[in-house]
Amino acid sequence: MPKSQLQCYGEAVYCFGEDYLNKCAKGKSSLERFASVVAWSISTTRPALFGQAPFNPILGETHHVSRGSLNVLLEQVSHHPPVSALHATDAKDNVELIWCHKPVPRFHGASVEAVIKGKRHLRLLKFGENYEMDSPNLLIKLLPTTGADWVGDVSIRCKDSGLEADLCYYKSHAFLGFGGSSKSIRGKIFHSKTLKTIYEIDGQWDRIVKLKDVHSGEVTILYDAKKAISGLKTPILQAPQNLWPTESATVWSEVSQAILNKEWGKASAAKQIIEEKQRKLQRERKSSGELWVPKHFTVTHTKENEWDCSPLEQSVPPAPIIVHP
């Protein structure tokens, strides 16, 4: 795939049709806002392509894009293990996002599962609400049929409102692994203290997800993938003079262009040059005892190898790369 993993993470935030993030900040009640956050979380799940993988970001690689008043910045804060940090701010809607992603592979014989460690935080600053959530895992099937899908349990919590949601991404079982309803999602929204269910959630995350009020029985559409992730626009380089040398589009430009031109030998050679340069820099740091430090985040991790990333700046500045709303 002619793009970096950082770009893939970023696209989940700034590439969309209908603006579900904006809806989170406009909810009139804590329950309405929570349901909107659940819908937005589902909107960040994008179809995965079997057999195509993005580039592994180099250490210190960045991706900086703006869409309207939403400014998004990512940095690769570790290469071994791979850890990506994201910070996004929207001054107009008083929204802040902070992510820390660390994919860990698990091998299951006929499949490989990329377990996404780390938390996502969405903050609605106007209401003083912080939402903490997980990410589904990417399951790559090798036998009996090939494919890639998002699976696993996702929890969304807001201690400030006392609300939680449990979601399950799954593929229904079918005979010998063939058929079945893929891209399914089921869950509930409930009170943290009483565990009393308010809404039931059911549908397919690449189509329609419905919300059912357990008290009245009323069913509404929570999320419409066709509206959310169709008609996506390509980011445009608006200010080349402000582009950082660490920007994904700069780091991988030669490799990406060669792939688009189907010049596989040239792409492989260009990729090898980038990777060898990184190995050389790593040897030089090890020789001199230099400790590499991220430019945009502080990073901490425990003995259990759990990572946490915090942005150094309060807000993300406008980017040289933009996406037109």
Side-chain angles (χ1 to χ4, degrees):
M1 188 182 297
K3 64 177 69 174
S4 169
Q5 182 63 65
L6 283 191
Q7 291 170 290
C8 293
Y9 285 145
E11 287 170 0
V13 176
Y14 61 70
C15 277
F16 51 82
E18 188 169 342
D19 192 347
Y20 278 83
L21 184 60
N22 177 267
K23 289 182 179 181
C24 299
K26 295 190 180 302
K28 295 179 181 178
S29 68
S30 58
L31 182 56
E32 185 180 342
R33 290 191 294 274
F34 192 93
S36 295
V37 170
V38 172
W40 172 80
S41 176
I42 296 171
S43 79
T44 63
T45 306
R46 305 296 169 90
L49 299 175
F50 179 81
Q52 291 191 17
F55 309 130
N56 291 322
I58 65 172
L59 187 65
E61 180 180 329
T62 57
H63 185 48
H64 189 198
V65 178
S66 292
R67 175 178 175 137
S69 55
L70 175 67
N71 302 315
V72 183
L73 173 63
L74 297 100
E75 182 176 18
Q76 191 70 10
V77 297
S78 174
H79 188 65
H80 294 294
V83 181
S84 308
L86 177 148
H87 186 211
T89 54
D90 190 324
K92 181 181 176 182
D93 290 333
N94 285 310
V95 171
E96 181 179 31
L97 299 171
I98 301 173
W99 294 5
C100 185
H101 279 184
K102 175 193 168 189
V104 178
R106 289 181 181 172
F107 300 92
H108 304 294
S111 64
V112 180
E113 185 176 3
V115 178
I116 312 299
K117 298 282 189 178
K119 297 296 182 184
R120 299 177 173 185
H121 291 269
L122 189 162
R123 295 172 179 169
L124 302 181
L125 304 176
K126 179 181 177 181
F127 302 101
E129 294 173 348
N130 178 50
Y131 300 80
E132 182 181 293
M133 62 200 79
D134 309 311
S135 171
N137 303 326
L138 181 61
L139 180 67
I140 301 170
K141 287 187 62 181
L142 307 175
L143 293 170
T145 57
T146 59
D149 210 349
W150 295 99
V151 298
D153 298 326
V154 171
S155 295
I156 303 174
R157 297 165 293 278
C158 180
K159 293 181 180 179
D160 306 295
S161 63
L163 295 170
E164 291 188 45
D166 284 339
L167 304 176
C168 178
Y169 289 75
Y170 67 98
K171 176 182 172 71
S172 64
H173 296 290
F175 182 69
L176 295 178
F178 294 91
S181 176
S182 64
K183 301 176 176 58
S184 297
I185 185 170
R186 185 176 295 169
K188 62 182 179 178
I189 296 175
F190 59 96
H191 291 288
S192 301
K193 290 184 178 180
T194 64
L195 303 181
K196 190 174 181 180
T197 300
I198 307 168
Y199 291 118
E200 292 177 346
I201 299 166
D202 189 37
Q204 284 77 41
W205 58 261
D206 66 332
R207 281 166 277 179
I208 296 289
V209 179
K210 295 181 179 179
L211 192 71
K212 180 182 178 181
D213 188 318
V214 298
H215 302 294
S216 67
E218 181 185 3
V219 177
T220 56
I221 293 178
L222 175 67
Y223 173 71
D224 186 337
K226 186 175 181 180
K227 292 180 179 179
I229 58 174
S230 61
L232 303 182
K233 297 180 180 178
T234 303
I236 297 170
L237 179 57
Q238 181 175 252
Q241 70 277 11
N242 296 330
L243 199 66
W244 297 333
T246 53
E247 166 61 45
S248 297
T250 302
V251 173
W252 300 102
S253 60
E254 190 174 345
V255 184
S256 297
Q257 191 58 55
I259 290 175
L260 291 172
N261 293 338
K262 297 184 178 181
E263 298 174 326
W264 312 119
K266 185 177 180 180
S268 179
K271 184 172 181 286
Q272 189 173 358
I273 289 172
I274 294 170
E275 292 170 343
E276 182 52 44
K277 181 180 179 181
Q278 290 304 303
R279 285 190 283 267
K280 181 182 178 183
L281 290 172
Q282 184 181 18
R283 289 194 297 268
E284 290 174 353
R285 285 193 297 268
K286 187 175 181 180
S287 176
S288 64
E290 178 188 351
L291 179 65
W292 184 86
V293 178
K295 290 184 179 179
H296 306 284
F297 295 86
T298 57
V299 177
T300 57
H301 51 95
T302 65
K303 292 181 180 179
E304 292 77 25
N305 210 19
E306 296 294 331
W307 291 65
D308 187 51
C309 307
S310 301
L312 292 173
E313 300 296 332
Q314 188 173 356
S315 62
V316 178
I321 301 175
I322 65 167
V323 177
H324 288 295

